[in-house]
Amino acid sequence: MIRFDSDYIEGCHPAILARMAETNMEQTVGYGCDPHCDRARKLIQAACGRDDVDVHFLVGGTQANATVISSILKPYQGVVCSCTGHIGVHETGAIEHGGHKVLAIPGPDSKLSASAVEKLFQSHFNDPSWEHIVQPGMVYLSFSNELGLIYTLEELKAIKAVCEKWHAPLFIDGARLGYGLAAPGCDVTLQDIAQIADIFYIGGTKQGALFGEAVVIVNDALKKDFRYYIKQNGGMLAKGRLLGIQFETLFEDGLYMQLAKHADDMASLIREAFREKGYEFLTDSPTNQVFPILSMEKVAELQEKFGFETWQEVGDQMAVRFCTSWCTPVENVKALIEAI
Amino acid sequence: MIRFDSDYIEGCHPAILARMAETNMEQTVGYGCDPHCDRARKLIQAACGRDDVDVHFLVGGTQANATVISSILKPYQGVVCSCTGHIGVHETGAIEHGGHKVLAIPGPDSKLSASAVEKLFQSHFNDPSWEHIVQPGMVYLSFSNELGLIYTLEELKAIKAVCEKWHAPLFIDGARLGYGLAAPGCDVTLQDIAQIADIFYIGGTKQGALFGEAVVIVNDALKKDFRYYIKQNGGMLAKGRLLGIQFETLFEDGLYMQLAKHADDMASLIREAFREKGYEFLTDSPTNQVFPILSMEKVAELQEKFGFETWQEVGDQMAVRFCTSWCTPVENVKALIEAI
Amino acid sequence: MIRFDSDYIEGCHPAILARMAETNMEQTVGYGCDPHCDRARKLIQAACGRDDVDVHFLVGGTQANATVISSILKPYQGVVCSCTGHIGVHETGAIEHGGHKVLAIPGPDSKLSASAVEKLFQSHFNDPSWEHIVQPGMVYLSFSNELGLIYTLEELKAIKAVCEKWHAPLFIDGARLGYGLAAPGCDVTLQDIAQIADIFYIGGTKQGALFGEAVVIVNDALKKDFRYYIKQNGGMLAKGRLLGIQFETLFEDGLYMQLAKHADDMASLIREAFREKGYEFLTDSPTNQVFPILSMEKVAELQEKFGFETWQEVGDQMAVRFCTSWCTPVENVKALIEAI
Amino acid sequence: MIRFDSDYIEGCHPAILARMAETNMEQTVGYGCDPHCDRARKLIQAACGRDDVDVHFLVGGTQANATVISSILKPYQGVVCSCTGHIGVHETGAIEHGGHKVLAIPGPDSKLSASAVEKLFQSHFNDPSWEHIVQPGMVYLSFSNELGLIYTLEELKAIKAVCEKWHAPLFIDGARLGYGLAAPGCDVTLQDIAQIADIFYIGGTKQGALFGEAVVIVNDALKKDFRYYIKQNGGMLAKGRLLGIQFETLFEDGLYMQLAKHADDMASLIREAFREKGYEFLTDSPTNQVFPILSMEKVAELQEKFGFETWQEVGDQMAVRFCTSWCTPVENVKALIEAI
């Protein structure tokens, strides 16, 4: 069975394991204050093109989202996101557990548009009984998102302009940031993200690390006391150096973007193979997730040899997801293309 | 200016004020354990046709909703409601503040249907990654609802059957329960509600009391330690007898339903007047709220003499709300009909 | 049975009931935006000697405490109070339900001292692992407190100085504010409170109203969006004018302080009677609560004719509480003195 | 500098790293449902001597505590613990963030006693106004605790009897469980823990793993839907197999207890050395933490060569903590003994 189920079915890049072994008996302080974390912070600042951002390493994505959102919103505020946003549908209500409503913009789109966000803010602040309604307090989007889509630089700037108008921070969930930035046609860079977002994170778990996400705080107003939030939300690792070592490895020679590019390249091959055979796609994803729409028979046929997710019925057909990763072997892709 | 803005713009029925004055210097214990509360409890049990229900008096609707929902759901569960449900849109996130997601069923309908509720439960429990998704844990509906609509007995029983199948309590928000039960064509009685709901409340604030809602707990499993929840959620009145006295007055001679019927009658007159003039309605409400769709000119014309709410644009027209109450004078209604 | 159980066993001052009856059929907007609330706000501003404070009317004490604290603290912060503070012991964890730790200063004292508060702040901010510990974010005290005690002006100023040093707002719970201000020997005025506190409330429930507390926000930084907090925490009354009418009545001719003085005077008579007979007291309360320490026999003897609370064992004796109120008849006090 | 600062300053046992490297390119499902987790579960069940316990792997201690407590308590309940309990003092209010009060038993003891716990329950349920007070809903203790102490089998059974009387589950925090069980004089086994506790966890982070804690659910009533809680509280690792692999390694040949015993042996040597020189100790810890009381001069002298924590002033002296771990080299201990 060759698996394309998700981008976290393997361990991590071997260089990370090697570094862990090398440093295993070092004695360091805990909780992210060790030299490895310090160095990783500097490398990430350099990659972002600015040394005035704060960088924190958190254990995983749910904590990263819960922690960031908890640190920004007031109790009567909610977080705006698309109706497929991970925080709204796949975190067992972690955001509500922290007291906040997820203000999902309904509709067919998995991407936020500046106009839809503007409309939501207007509709709140124009309502005379606004105090009876949850106030939109920040905007959340994923880059790339649940359906593999990315935003253009122009789209991001337009959303940011709406955020600024309404004094609402923009938070970019980058669990798959690299896969987005490395995608063909992407005109956004990490430096752009570090200019536009008020806060964002660089995903490790799905991009070649064992686990861990690097939260980058751009907006000065959001920096104070952030470590309290990390601890309270269970995101602070006792042996914090494990996170430092991983991001050190990923960011010291451009490894992070290389791995991302590999995954996107493998996905492009798969996408092209389906396209040539005339298949339609659920979304026009340019990243490491490919969503062809297959007949039920084709699904059954492919399932004999390959692991992948059935995503959503489309008429009497099925949209499925093939997910490549930083380590997807080209032979596996070739075997799949053969079968297509 | 004659006001039809809402059903809580006046004080309370004079009999309540008189009873408050009479009993003013009585010395009683607090927090709902006094003789007036005891008697009101018995009267409500009698009206419900069963003496095995628990009755608690809470200060207001937001606390009633927050308290009941907090007492039923586990932290990872959410409450199912229609997309216009009061808890989802008009309580500033009180439910999320208590840690729970409101699982609003999207769509044009302000009423829940058994099939939509069934579909939501199925979609949760059939999802292989269910543990990543908020579990539906109870069902909430309003009788009558935000748009003045009521459920038939058959509709309620169908919803209850779905609830039982999935072991999810049914909670009926009765802020306007009387207006619903007294509506022309309603085939549901208070006794039915007290059989079908696991927990519900009888609204006082909008139905002739100064304030207060009577929560009735039908399902034994939900009775234990309920007073802790009331206190924690700010719903326990120090001078609890004020609530007892009000519900005593409303329930000792059928006053509650008389007042409700008056409001519904007044609304029927208004509705009929609009209908005769050929106006359409936003909803087919048979209760104390009437939602005609008017031209902008007509809205402006009526606003000169009458207070009412503009509800929602419908094309280039405006749906508005006229709200009658337990004390709407027939002269006011006549003046409005004249103007229509 | 003559009752001295608490200060909320009767209804309200007759002038309030009369005013409610007079205004009963007025049609007003809801939620505290009506003319009665507006007038009451102005009267309270005048009594505070400054027109730049915001005044909000909330349903009760638990909501007032939960709402104020929720509006001030960040998620990782807690509220400092004495170990007998109402929020720590008698609100069923409403503060924790809102996500915050109550940082009770242990020890025998029911009053906070500036030095104990200073020590608590120092101990937090001097701890190298502070991010693992709840940060003290505000200070709460009651005036008068659970044991009937008040603070001198100097004591309040000293506590405020500590608060300012650590940038922590000072919140004064005034459920029994009048009884404190009217006490013999009190050198604090309402105007002082409105200078020293960042936020406080003027209790209605225990001081002659049916219910309701008037929150006064002094510190500009705490004013924004406060109504959202009120609504979310269940403290916003639909028929808000009921609160306006009550505080209007209490503050238009100095009634509030007259009623408070009466209660304190009655308590002084009781206190003196016990003192003359050589009884000791649990606390040196100058307000409407008297805490004599009695033999078990004396307790039993008095319980035959009088209602009062047994408070706490002291050796083989019992400290009890006699509580007077705005309406305690002097005959009742005389009967008690007789029995002492 | 030789460090005795804490038991998590190094990486992990080399066998774990080796196993991670070996299995790195395996493709497995996520979230703890992989074969390594399954096998680790079976090994832990075997070590517990019963195959009817549920075993879940969580990322870290704060999440383990928050998740377990959230899964047990109702909103109006609190968790009883000693005043030094980790959940009360060192988790930045994570428990309160989840809505619950920590009911710390005050006093000099870091260990709970059955009688103190019994007294707390009695004091709650005997209070006539109990509904105004947070209800004790479960009991939490650490084995070994923050001050290195353990409980005897008899002590644990006595506490459990109190818990059963009041229907309150007993939760044992085993972040340092091995160090406790391996201590000289300990008469408790892992099998005993798995009989007495309703739920407990076996610490990995401080006992030779990179990170991770294994929660063991003994009481059937606490098993349902536990994975929802793990996800909501951020304790569910995407690449869950990392946790499975670690506990597999620790539990397949008794490695876990061997490592624990080593740490305790090293601590005994240090303890003996201080004792011989006549030093007093803050606590009589038999586990991997040693708390001698030193003069300030001695502290300064030792700090030149050794890392350790200053814990608490004792008169004009200082209690300090030397912490050994699964990998403390005997040479380091010898060097320290030399310096003592």
Side-chain angles (χ1 to χ4, degrees), chain B residues 173-184:
Chain B
D173 171 339
R176 293 189 174 102
L177 186 60
Y179 297 142
L181 295 175

Side-chain angles (χ1 to χ4, degrees), chain B residues 76 124 131 135 225 227-228, chain D residues 76 124 131 225 227-228:
Chain B
Y76 59 91
H124 179 81
E131 298 142 345
Q135 186 185 91
D225 287 346
R227 281 172 56 82
Y228 285 93
Chain D
Y76 59 90
H124 179 81
E131 297 143 346
D225 287 346
R227 282 172 55 83
Y228 285 93

Side-chain angles (χ1 to χ4, degrees), chain A residues 31 70-71 73-77 99 124-125 130-135 224-225 227-229 231-232 236, chain C residues 31 70-71 73-77 99 124-125 130-135 224-225 227-229 231-232 236:
Chain A
Y31 305 115
S70 178
S71 78
L73 293 183
K74 292 180 177 147
Y76 60 90
Q77 294 179 322
H124 178 81
F125 287 104
W130 63 4
E131 298 142 347
H132 298 241
I133 305 169
V134 174
Q135 187 184 91
K224 188 164 183 299
D225 287 346
R227 281 172 56 84
Y228 285 93
Y229 290 105
K231 179 65 188 172
Q232 185 178 65
M236 192 176 278
Chain C
Y31 305 116
S70 177
S71 78
L73 293 182
K74 291 181 177 146
Y76 59 90
Q77 294 180 322
H124 178 81
F125 288 103
W130 63 4
E131 297 142 347
H132 297 241
I133 303 170
V134 174
Q135 187 185 90
K224 189 165 181 299
D225 287 346
R227 282 171 56 83
Y228 285 93
Y229 291 105
K231 177 67 188 171
Q232 184 177 65
M236 193 177 279

Side-chain angles (χ1 to χ4, degrees), chain B residues 31 70 74-76 124 130-133 135 225 227-229 231-232 236, chain D residues 31 70 74-76 124 130-133 135 225 227-229 231-232 236:
Chain B
Y31 305 116
S70 177
K74 291 180 176 149
Y76 59 91
H124 179 81
W130 64 4
E131 298 142 345
H132 297 242
I133 304 170
Q135 186 185 91
D225 287 346
R227 281 172 56 82
Y228 285 93
Y229 290 106
K231 178 67 187 171
Q232 186 177 64
M236 192 176 278
Chain D
Y31 305 116
S70 177
K74 291 178 178 150
Y76 59 90
H124 179 81
W130 64 3
E131 297 143 346
H132 297 241
I133 305 169
Q135 186 184 91
D225 287 346
R227 282 172 55 83
Y228 285 93
Y229 291 105
K231 177 66 187 170
Q232 185 177 64
M236 192 176 278

Side-chain angles (χ1 to χ4, degrees), chain B residues 65-225:
Chain B
N65 287 330
T67 302
V68 167
I69 291 168
S70 177
S71 78
I72 292 177
L73 293 182
K74 291 180 176 149
Y76 59 91
Q77 294 180 321
V79 50
V80 178
C81 73
S82 115
C83 58
T84 59
H86 202 261
I87 54 171
V89 294
H90 256 84
E91 297 183 350
T92 323
I95 305 309
E96 290 83 2
H97 189 54
H100 300 291
K101 194 178 187 76
V102 176
L103 300 165
I105 294 186
D109 287 326
S110 65
K111 279 174 62 180
L112 286 182
S113 70
S115 63
V117 175
E118 168 69 19
K119 203 172 138 195
L120 187 147
F121 276 97
Q122 280 194 14
S123 112
H124 179 81
F125 287 104
N126 289 340
D127 192 315
S129 59
W130 64 4
E131 298 142 345
H132 297 242
I133 304 170
V134 174
Q135 186 185 91
M138 65 184 289
V139 174
Y140 163 99
L141 61 84
S142 302
F143 189 99
S144 59
N145 78 7
E146 298 294 300
L147 289 166
L149 300 176
I150 57 173
Y151 293 78
T152 65
L153 187 55
E154 195 180 10
E155 287 171 337
L156 286 183
K157 284 182 175 172
I159 290 170
K160 176 56 178 255
V162 173
C163 289
E164 285 184 337
K165 174 176 169 190
W166 297 101
H167 309 291
L170 175 61
F171 168 35
I172 297 181
D173 171 339
R176 293 189 174 102
L177 186 60
Y179 297 142
L181 295 175
C186 176
D187 67 348
V188 179
T189 65
L190 181 55
Q191 289 90 330
D192 292 329
I193 297 285
Q195 291 294 336
I196 293 171
D198 291 280
I199 189 165
F200 69 100
Y201 66 91
I202 300 172
T205 303
K206 293 173 179 167
Q207 304 233 160
L210 285 174
F211 63 99
E213 324 290 315
V215 172
V216 181
I217 312 184
V218 177
N219 184 331
D220 285 341
L222 307 181
K223 291 175 180 171
K224 189 167 182 299
D225 287 346

Side-chain angles (χ1 to χ4, degrees), chain C residues 8 14 90 112 121 133 169 205-206 215 219 236 257 262 266-267:
Chain C
Y8 43 95
H90 256 86
L112 286 182
F121 276 96
I133 303 170
T205 303
K206 293 173 179 166
V215 171
N219 184 331
M236 193 177 279
M257 289 305 295
H262 171 78
M266 294 301 102

